[in-house]
Amino acid sequence: MSDEQPTELEPGGPNAVGKMLGLLGDEWTLLLIQQALIGVTRYGQFKAAMPISNAVLTARLNLLTREGLLERNVYQSNPLRAEYLTTPRSRSLWPFMVTIWDWERKWVPGHELPRMVHTVCEREFAPVLSCASCGKPAAAREIAADWGPSGNWARSVPEASTRRRWDSEQISGAAGLFPDTMTILGNRWASALIGAAFRGITRFTDFEKALSAPPTLVADRLRAFVAIDVLFATQNDKRPDWAEYHLTEKGRAFFPVVATALQWSQRWFRSPEGPALLETHTTCGAEFDPQLRCDQCSAVVHRRDVRIV
């Protein structure tokens, strides 16, 4: 397949959001992309960088190649040796990775990351999520979102997975650079749940209904989000037996990660019926197209302008 062109999804099947969550909502896939974007190319290098089995590494590399995020290049025939190179599809994930980097640096206690420098102004910077139409910062509360022609909960939740997963401590240890992000995105149901929280769902039963997930799984993910201070639980004034879960300041600050992931998914995975989600920046009334700007000089940030110190 050509990774220059978007993938056309099956009519009535998972939409762009569901496809994205199925790919990026996997701890090993996200870690492999992160390693590839910093220059790792060979099987042995990936294996040395993370505690991953040969079977899982082979399966994920095959998946990323099949989905157009990596390109397998055979550089030696005897013995056979190959390298895995990034593509426009994977390189366009850089805003997603930069927003993860910034969120972890700001919100995870005791977790230090290397600094990011904006080479245009030569200052250490933080990316500011902005609207491409008006150039102004865009917070979650300023974005109105409605389902598009291919959008509904059933099509936006990733397909169920039966493979065995590590517990949260092992996943966080494997993640290294992004422990709290792995709690949110390193599990497919967790990534769907955070999306539901940003859509305004607060009650346990509504999470369960929207995601069509077992109650034990929903309860486990909600506990994990409360534990890392992304959600907080409150009692409903009218029904004290009902617990409600609301985004904390840390949880709301995760919105740039969600916004850039959605932007990427709707660029590269298209349903014949149309977009999965329609977003409007209420400040200017235009369709919301996420853009990152430097908090120091206000210039638009491009991939080539970011230097890791």
Side-chain angles (χ1 to χ4, degrees):
M1 65 171 291
S2 171
D3 58 275
E4 297 285 354
Q5 299 297 323
T7 297
E8 295 294 331
L9 302 176
E10 293 292 329
N15 58 25
V17 177
K19 184 71 173 180
M20 176 269 292
L21 293 179
L23 283 172
L24 304 184
D26 176 274
E27 60 268 26
W28 294 125
T29 299
L30 196 60
L31 290 169
L32 284 170
I33 292 171
Q34 179 253 325
Q35 290 293 313
L37 290 177
I38 62 174
V40 174
T41 62
R42 300 186 182 182
Y43 189 99
Q45 294 173 326
F46 286 117
K47 187 71 171 63
M50 61 187 75
I52 186 171
S53 70
N54 288 324
V56 173
L57 176 56
T58 298
R60 294 303 189 281
L61 289 174
N62 288 340
L63 171 67
L64 292 173
T65 301
R66 187 168 64 249
E67 296 290 352
L69 277 80
L70 293 177
E71 179 181 354
R72 186 173 184 267
N73 175 52
V74 176
Y75 63 89
Q76 181 176 311
S77 58
N78 188 21
L80 182 65
R81 298 187 186 278
E83 59 185 354
Y84 296 86
L85 307 176
T86 59
T87 64
R89 184 170 296 200
S90 57
R91 290 193 291 273
S92 65
L93 274 169
W94 74 267
F96 171 70
M97 301 304 295
V98 164
T99 53
I100 289 176
W101 191 291
D102 184 59
W103 184 78
E104 288 276 343
R105 187 171 61 90
K106 289 179 179 176
W107 292 101
V108 181
H111 182 50
E112 295 186 8
L113 287 170
R115 294 174 295 127
M116 291 189 299
V117 171
H118 185 213
T119 59
V120 173
C121 63
E122 284 298 332
R123 298 177 184 174
E124 183 179 352
F125 82 105
V128 177
L129 182 70
S130 305
C131 171
S133 296
C134 66
K136 295 180 179 179
R141 63 181 179 274
E142 298 164 341
I143 306 301
D146 295 298
W147 290 123
S150 66
N152 57 51
W153 283 115
R155 296 182 64 179
S156 302
V157 174
E159 295 178 350
S161 174
T162 57
R163 64 176 177 270
R164 181 174 177 270
R165 293 192 172 275
W166 289 15
D167 62 36
S168 59
E169 289 186 2
Q170 288 174 305
I171 292 171
S172 296
L177 289 178
F178 313 128
D180 281 16
T181 299
M182 285 293 95
T183 300
I184 300 173
L185 296 182
N187 175 288
R188 294 183 180 188
W189 288 112
S191 52
L193 191 145
I194 197 70
F198 275 110
R199 290 298 309 274
I201 290 180
T202 60
R203 287 167 40 189
F204 183 97
T205 53
D206 291 337
F207 281 115
E208 182 185 355
K209 180 180 178 180
L211 304 183
S212 298
T216 53
L217 189 150
V218 174
D220 176 72
R221 290 299 88 201
L222 289 173
R223 280 195 299 269
F225 283 8
V226 170
I228 64 170
D229 194 32
V230 167
L231 295 179
F232 69 94
T234 63
Q235 286 186 326
N236 185 292
D237 292 337
K238 297 180 180 179
R239 290 288 303 270
D241 56 322
W242 284 357
E244 294 187 351
Y245 296 86
H246 298 269
L247 289 162
T248 63
E249 185 181 2
K250 177 180 178 180
R252 290 191 297 272
F254 197 73
F255 180 68
V257 179
V258 175
T260 51
L262 288 172
Q263 179 190 44
W264 179 82
S265 71
Q266 299 206 109
R267 172 183 178 185
W268 292 108
F269 299 101
R270 295 180 181 173
S271 297
E273 302 93 330
L277 204 64
L278 302 174
E279 296 179 294
T280 302
H281 185 213
T282 57
T283 300
C284 68
E287 178 183 349
F288 179 52
D289 183 17
Q291 186 180 70
L292 299 184
R293 290 180 175 269
C294 172
D295 69 333
Q296 299 297 310
C297 68
S298 299
V300 176
V301 177
H302 301 283
R303 182 172 66 92
R304 63 180 180 275
D305 301 330
V306 180
R307 183 173 74 243
I308 305 300
V309 180

